[in-house]
Amino acid sequence: MLRQALLAAVALSVVAGSAMAQDVKVLRIGLDGSENEADQIRNTQCVADGLKAFTGVPEVQIFPSPDYNGVIQGLLGGTIDIASMGASSYAAIALKDPKAVDPILTYTQSDGSSGYYSIMVARKDSGIKTLADAKGKKIGFADPDSTSGYLVPNVALPKEIGAPVKEYFSESGFGGGHENLVLAVLDKKFDVGTTFGSGVGKWEEGYTGGNLHQMVNKGILDMDDVVEVWKSPLIPNGPLMVNNKLPEDMRAKVEAYFLELPKKDHDCFKAYTQGDNKEYIKVDPSFYQTIIDARKSVIGG
């Protein structure tokens, strides 16, 4: 009798799990505003279509946010199911609620590396070529929740300039995402600004991936107009995060879809990851512990 009761309980749990997966009527992908909204939506549409076909979910919706925090709050509140963001954004979530999301995958660059760089740029005609030249100038950051556009510069720069950022530069501000930040540097709203790139490949192409590469591809940036003033230490590529409010079997399906994406539709994979990247690899929270510690130190919990 006990054996039959146990078997019945297992069977019921399997049925319940399947029912939970079937109850997922929509998957919601969050976009963080690091690039202009129309381009982000276009680069994500193939993912939405692919997820719908692969998981059997009736609808996959794309939710663009004007800033990183909108997606962070959506992931914390359960109104966003899937998002690819920088490590600092994941750290913000982990520090508020470590059980809210899991970082399941990250991508590798064309050379197989799983990191990228914060890159400080200035206009070529500004005369600013080094950090010493940038002293007393106005610095722009991409977004307060950006890893490369804010957190890492505020951790790494003081060690190189020998002073707090707010003392070394005359003024600081935010560009409203990476693309807008670089445009603001070109428009002379900032003397220097921090964005990101793979650090691999040709400068004139904006490297092989990252914001500079995307802007070059779209024809809105000529790398001859900017110079690289500073490059950070290697930063771990940001995670693809899945909300833990989703049923476990649906989370597994989402992970399986993204793992196969580089092989099934490499153009879609490159568009979604913003560069000539190679593949997805599995990660877990420990991969981002240094960024979590850095965010807690610089920004707080």
Side-chain angles (χ1 to χ4, degrees):
M1 289 293 292
L2 178 59
R3 176 180 169 80
Q4 288 177 331
L6 287 171
L7 288 172
V10 170
L12 281 170
S13 69
V14 170
V15 170
S18 299
M20 284 179 70
Q22 291 167 4
D23 284 344
V24 178
K25 302 299 184 186
V26 60
L27 287 173
R28 297 153 297 188
I29 304 173
L31 304 179
D32 62 15
S34 59
E35 188 180 14
N36 77 73
E37 184 176 304
D39 288 332
Q40 276 201 308
I41 291 173
R42 185 178 65 252
N43 290 336
T44 305
Q45 189 59 54
C46 60
V47 168
D49 295 340
L51 268 173
K52 182 178 177 181
F54 189 90
T55 63
V57 170
E59 188 176 4
V60 178
Q61 298 174 350
I62 299 172
F63 284 88
S65 170
D67 58 26
Y68 289 46
N69 190 53
V71 181
I72 289 170
Q73 296 307 318
L75 288 166
L76 282 167
T79 58
I80 296 294
D81 301 308
I82 302 163
S84 269
M85 301 181 76
S88 183
S89 295
Y90 165 65
I93 298 167
L95 287 167
K96 284 280 177 65
D97 181 2
K99 295 181 180 179
V101 303
D102 276 336
I104 58 169
L105 304 171
T106 194
Y107 62 89
T108 61
Q109 265 84 257
S110 57
D111 67 342
S113 63
S114 58
Y116 66 109
Y117 299 89
S118 172
I119 297 170
M120 184 187 294
V121 295
R123 294 182 315 281
K124 195 170 188 176
D125 63 6
S126 69
I128 301 172
K129 297 180 180 178
T130 66
L131 282 175
D133 297 332
K135 186 175 183 179
K137 304 296 185 181
K138 186 175 181 179
I139 185 171
F141 299 109
D143 185 283
D145 290 306
S146 169
T147 312
S148 58
Y150 183 70
L151 178 63
V152 167
N154 278 276
V155 172
L157 278 172
K159 298 174 184 177
E160 296 198 34
I161 59 181
V165 167
K166 63 182 179 181
E167 293 180 11
Y168 192 81
F169 297 94
S170 63
E171 193 177 341
S172 67
F174 292 101
H178 284 275
E179 187 174 292
N180 287 336
L181 181 278
V182 174
L183 294 175
V185 171
L186 293 173
D187 289 341
K188 302 183 180 181
K189 294 175 183 175
F190 299 109
D191 298 303
V192 294
T194 53
T195 185
F196 72 100
S198 67
V200 177
K202 298 177 180 178
W203 170 255
E204 59 266 29
E205 295 175 1
Y207 296 124
T208 59
N211 178 57
L212 297 172
H213 183 76
Q214 289 291 93
M215 293 181 72
V216 169
N217 281 351
K218 288 188 284 188
I220 58 175
L221 174 65
D222 185 334
M223 293 297 286
D224 283 341
D225 293 335
V226 294
V227 294
E228 182 175 294
V229 176
W230 171 78
K231 187 166 73 173
S232 74
L234 191 68
I235 305 167
N237 284 340
L240 176 75
M241 295 174 280
V242 175
N243 204 304
N244 283 329
K245 286 184 170 64
L246 286 174
E248 185 176 347
D249 58 341
M250 181 55 67
R251 297 200 306 272
K253 286 181 181 180
V254 169
E255 180 176 324
Y257 164 75
F258 280 103
L259 274 173
E260 292 183 19
L261 180 60
K263 298 174 184 176
K264 287 194 169 182
D265 190 343
H266 198 70
D267 287 341
C268 178
F269 167 70
K270 289 195 295 182
Y272 187 61
T273 58
Q274 297 186 323
D276 185 17
N277 297 311
K278 186 178 179 182
E279 63 184 349
Y280 275 118
I281 58 171
K282 293 187 178 186
V283 293
D284 60 30
S286 66
F287 189 75
Y288 298 104
Q289 191 58 52
T290 56
I291 301 298
I292 293 171
D293 293 342
R295 184 176 176 105
K296 188 172 183 180
S297 172
V298 172
I299 301 174

